[in-house]
């Protein structure tokens, strides 16, 4: 009996150990870059440099990859040279990306575990990029019915892509709530970006729209999407009356208004930066040395990640060589 009890105890412990085994907290991300322009691929959880989570070194064939720590499914962005694209990673995924730098977006494809949803997002983003490229000129015309009609056609194309994806899966398959949110952002925020552009140009004849899904600016986190951030920039640009020539006090005022409306810190940072950069880049005459220096000096009062945005500010303002003369060593 003693022997049997020992065997039973061992089997019970093995069973309990198997049941209590934690789900994977890592994923594999890798692939191949053809015609690379530098030695690295960078992976970000958010747009901002503070979201940088890993660096991948390319081998002599342009291949890269290793495991990364990941606690839950989320959107990530990978960066090579001056190109950036997105991917959706879940714990346990083994995702490979292939692209040719001669045609970055259009040559891209995913393979491996998790590739299906990523190829769907890629197809949706290509449709959305084409939508914005083709319809931006309509924003400046007064025919809003034509704009809305074309937007509807693009939305149908995106829905067709989703249906083709679902057709390959079991009938009872369902997207997770986060995947649903990512898909809604992919489908609709390019539309809202265009509509906000139209409303900015035609304040006397604005288009009223509603979100066809649950969305709130009070949320402190959204799955970061390029089109969401671009829409929020357009939205805030229309609602804020900005001076043609900004002072440091103007920039602080812009930051306070954006932070009061957009509770998602990462999106708010992006919007503040774009608003300030847009006004400075279109200013006539161009920003003076003193104006640029004074604005850079108040960045710690504007951004939560001021060090990162100071670097970005300097990089983007290299078209004004005198800017680099006053940049502190700490932001190089």
């Amino acid at each position: 009996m003693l022997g049997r009890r020992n065997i039973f105890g061992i089997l019970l412990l093995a069973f309990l150990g198997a049941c209590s085994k934690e789900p994977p907290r890592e994923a594999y991300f890798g692939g191949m870059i053809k015609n690379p322009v530098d030695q690295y691929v960078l992976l970000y959880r958010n747009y901002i440099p503070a979201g940088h989570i890993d660096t991948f070194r390319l081998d002599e064939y342009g291949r890269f990859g290793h495991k990364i720590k990941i606690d839950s499914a989320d959107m990530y962005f990978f960066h090579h040279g001056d190109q950036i694209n997105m991917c959706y990673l879940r714990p346990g995924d083994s995702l490979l990306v292939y692209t040719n730098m001669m045609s970055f977006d259009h040559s891209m494809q995913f393979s491996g575990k998790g590739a299906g949803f990523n190829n769907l997002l890629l197809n949706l983003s290509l449709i959305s990029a084409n939508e914005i490229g083709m319809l931006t000129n309509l924003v400046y015309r007064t025919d809003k019915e034509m704009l809305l009609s074309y937007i509807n056609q693009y939305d149908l194309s995106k829905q067709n892509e989703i249906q083709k994806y679902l057709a390959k899966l079991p009938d009872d398959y369902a997207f997770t709530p986060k995947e649903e949110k990512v898909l809604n952002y992919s489908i609709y925020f390019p539309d809202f970006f265009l509509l906000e552009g139209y409303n900015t140009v035609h304040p006397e004849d604005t288009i009223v729209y509603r979100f066809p899904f649950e969305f709130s600016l009070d949320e402190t986190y959204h799955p970061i999407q390029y089109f969401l951030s671009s829409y929020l920039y357009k939205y805030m640009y229309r609602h804020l009356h900005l001076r043609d020539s900004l002072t440091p006090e103007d920039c602080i005022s812009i930051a306070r208004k954006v932070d009061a409306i957009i509770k998602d810190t990462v999106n708010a940072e992006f919007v503040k930066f774009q608003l300030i950069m847009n006004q400075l880049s279109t200013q006539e005459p161009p920003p003076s040395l003193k104006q640029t220096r004074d604005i850079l000096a108040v960045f710690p009062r504007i951004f939560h990640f001021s060090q990162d945005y100071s670097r970005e500010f300097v990089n983007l303002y290299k078209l004004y060589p005198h800017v680099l003369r006053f940049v502190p060593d700490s932001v190089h």
Side-chain angles (χ1 to χ4, degrees), residues 75-253:
M75 291 299 298
Y76 290 81
F77 291 83
F78 54 94
H79 182 266
H80 179 75
D82 61 353
Q83 297 288 347
I84 189 169
N85 212 315
M86 61 187 179
C87 63
Y88 188 81
L89 281 169
R90 303 166 301 181
D93 276 355
S94 182
L95 187 66
L96 300 175
V97 59
Y98 168 88
T99 189
N100 188 332
M101 291 302 291
M102 302 295 290
S103 179
F104 186 75
D105 290 328
H106 291 279
S107 65
M108 188 170 297
Q109 53 185 297
F110 293 96
S111 61
K113 186 177 180 182
F117 189 69
N118 279 283
N119 282 318
L120 172 61
L121 293 180
L122 176 62
N123 292 338
L124 295 178
S125 70
L126 291 174
I127 294 173
S128 293
N130 183 264
E131 173 187 3
I132 290 176
M134 296 298 293
L135 301 188
T136 294
N137 287 337
L138 291 181
V139 164
Y140 299 94
R141 298 174 58 173
T142 56
D143 191 344
K144 64 182 180 183
E145 296 304 323
M146 179 182 292
L147 176 63
L148 291 170
S149 175
Y150 278 115
I151 285 176
N152 184 59
Q153 291 180 41
Y154 276 101
D155 286 352
L156 288 175
S157 296
K158 297 173 202 175
Q159 294 289 355
N160 286 337
E161 286 294 326
I162 294 174
Q163 293 307 312
K164 286 193 293 184
Y165 173 76
L166 290 174
K168 301 174 184 177
L169 299 171
D171 292 340
D172 60 350
Y173 178 85
F175 293 114
T176 67
K178 183 172 283 187
E179 290 169 351
E180 284 276 6
K181 182 174 284 191
V182 169
L183 289 173
N184 282 327
Y185 289 2
S186 300
I187 295 168
Y188 294 108
F189 277 113
D191 305 348
F192 300 149
F193 171 82
L194 290 166
L195 297 179
E196 280 296 330
Y198 180 92
N199 290 343
T200 300
V201 177
H202 307 283
E204 74 291 343
D205 185 32
T206 58
I207 298 173
V208 178
Y209 59 88
R210 294 183 301 173
F211 297 110
F213 53 92
E214 186 176 340
F215 178 80
S216 172
L217 291 176
D218 290 332
E219 293 181 49
T220 57
Y221 168 77
H222 302 92
I224 304 302
Q225 270 274 0
Y226 170 78
F227 294 115
L228 167 62
S229 300
S230 299
Y231 159 75
L232 291 175
Y233 159 68
K234 283 288 188 182
Y235 174 84
M236 292 304 302
Y237 182 83
R238 184 166 75 90
H239 287 79
L240 298 177
H241 301 289
L242 306 181
R243 298 175 184 270
D244 292 332
S245 179
L246 296 179
T247 66
E249 291 71 25
D250 292 329
C251 294
I252 293 171
S253 176

Side-chain angles (χ1 to χ4, degrees), residues 28-92:
Y28 184 91
F29 179 71
M32 179 178 178
I33 306 288
K34 190 173 182 180
N35 297 310
V37 296
D38 62 41
Q39 295 182 323
Y40 300 98
V41 170
L42 306 179
L43 187 67
Y44 295 84
R45 184 173 179 271
N46 296 315
Y47 283 107
I48 55 172
H52 175 221
I53 67 164
D54 220 331
T55 300
F56 300 81
R57 186 180 179 89
L58 274 63
D59 68 13
E60 59 182 314
Y61 303 105
R63 299 173 303 196
F64 67 95
H66 56 247
K67 291 181 179 180
I68 60 170
K69 297 297 181 183
I70 175 173
D71 290 328
S72 61
D74 214 338
M75 291 299 298
Y76 290 81
F77 291 83
F78 54 94
H79 182 266
H80 179 75
D82 61 353
Q83 297 288 347
I84 189 169
N85 212 315
M86 61 187 179
C87 63
Y88 188 81
L89 281 169
R90 303 166 301 181

